[in-house]
Amino acid sequence: MLTKRTSYALATAGFMLAVAAGLKYAGGLGVIGDEAVRRGVQVMIGETLAVYGNFIPKDIGSISMPVSSASCSRSPRRLGGWLLTLTGVGYAGVWAFAPIAIANVAAMPLLAAAILITVGYSGWVVLNCRWLPRNR
Amino acid sequence: MNNVFKALSDPTRRRVLELLRKGPMTAGELSEHFPVSKPTLSAHFAVLREADLIAAEKSGKTITYRLNLSVLEDALLGFAQVFGIGAAGSPKRARVAPVLKRRTT
């Protein structure tokens, strides 16, 4: 039996594969050029990241954070959510509008920086939470 | 999404969300911040729960609420707070309105 989160993830994956296949097919027919295919796929990746980032701080379905641990998970989820949402929008924007040479160079470091900051901050919060006195 | 806009349109509910930013709070702790009766506040909690903006955990007789906002809902909350959407006389609107008036004249 699929949970809500798993269903959403599978639907998103299916959607991404369908769009990528559709763009590739259109490129093969000559309807759009290779550059447009590449830009389209990358914009879709950025937008998917933004959508996923949007829901990081939110509980969906049966997976919810108990109140006792909410204080430790709240700020990393909020920071991660905001960071990945804005990065996804930025990633999509760079691939949609910037010259290909710039998009190639700028988009991935943007994403990498957001992920590193999120992971780093989350790790720091987890360590602090583990070492805090139990009665906090 | 309609439920979210309805929930965010009331300044009391927005104040509840702002208080919950600091951390989970019980219904009793939240009610201390508002000059309204507990049944009225419970109605606000119900609207917020229906919009899935807060989550509740019951422990014995105590209900503890915590924030459950997505990034978009967080942004909408901030937007509504800045522009004082809803009933006039909210503290933030009183601070922002003169600034906006000066900029437009």
Side-chain angles (χ1 to χ4, degrees):
Chain A
M1 189 173 142
L2 294 176
T3 64
K4 214 169 175 179
R5 275 187 187 255
T6 307
S7 303
Y8 286 159
L10 287 173
T12 304
F15 173 75
M16 289 179 78
L17 287 170
V19 170
L23 284 170
K24 188 73 181 169
Y25 182 68
L29 289 177
V31 175
I32 52 176
D34 288 341
E35 186 178 308
V37 171
R38 191 166 176 206
R39 284 184 185 273
V41 170
Q42 296 295 338
V43 166
M44 179 186 60
I45 290 171
E47 288 175 354
T48 305
L49 181 65
V51 169
Y52 261 93
N54 177 57
F55 287 109
I56 283 174
K58 198 163 177 84
D59 296 332
I60 295 178
S62 60
I63 300 175
S64 62
M65 201 61 57
V67 171
S68 56
S69 64
S71 57
C72 284
S73 67
R74 188 177 61 245
S75 57
R77 288 173 86 184
R78 192 161 178 245
L79 175 75
W82 271 97
L83 212 48
L84 291 177
T85 300
L86 293 173
T87 300
V89 170
Y91 188 93
V94 163
W95 274 104
F97 302 112
I100 280 281
I102 293 175
N104 272 327
V105 170
M108 209 39 94
L110 190 68
L111 187 56
I115 291 171
L116 279 172
I117 293 170
T118 302
V119 170
Y121 180 70
S122 302
W124 181 80
V125 169
V126 166
L127 284 172
N128 269 291
C129 279
R130 278 185 186 275
W131 289 107
L132 282 172
R134 285 281 177 195
N135 60 359
R136 183 180 174 187
Chain B
M1 207 65 195
N2 271 341
N3 285 342
V4 172
F5 288 127
K6 177 185 167 188
L8 295 179
S9 65
D10 183 275
T12 301
R13 291 194 280 269
R14 291 201 300 271
R15 177 82 180 120
V16 169
L17 295 175
E18 288 293 328
L19 287 169
L20 288 175
R21 274 197 202 282
K22 298 171 194 170
M25 294 172 79
T26 64
E29 288 166 348
L30 284 166
S31 67
E32 288 167 12
H33 292 87
F34 298 96
V36 296
S37 66
K38 287 188 178 175
T40 303
L41 209 52
S42 291
H44 286 302
F45 294 153
V47 173
L48 288 169
R49 285 179 74 173
E50 194 184 336
D52 204 20
L53 298 180
I54 61 174
E57 191 173 293
K58 196 166 183 179
S59 175
K61 290 183 183 176
T62 308
I63 299 178
T64 305
Y65 293 103
R66 60 176 173 80
L67 217 51
N68 189 32
L69 301 176
S70 68
V71 170
L72 180 61
E73 288 159 356
D74 203 347
L76 286 172
L77 173 62
F79 180 82
Q81 288 286 65
V82 167
F83 290 100
I85 295 169
S90 66
K92 206 126 192 188
R93 186 184 177 92
R95 287 202 300 273
V96 171
V99 174
L100 289 174
K101 194 177 177 183
R102 275 202 300 275
R103 284 183 184 171
T104 54
T105 54

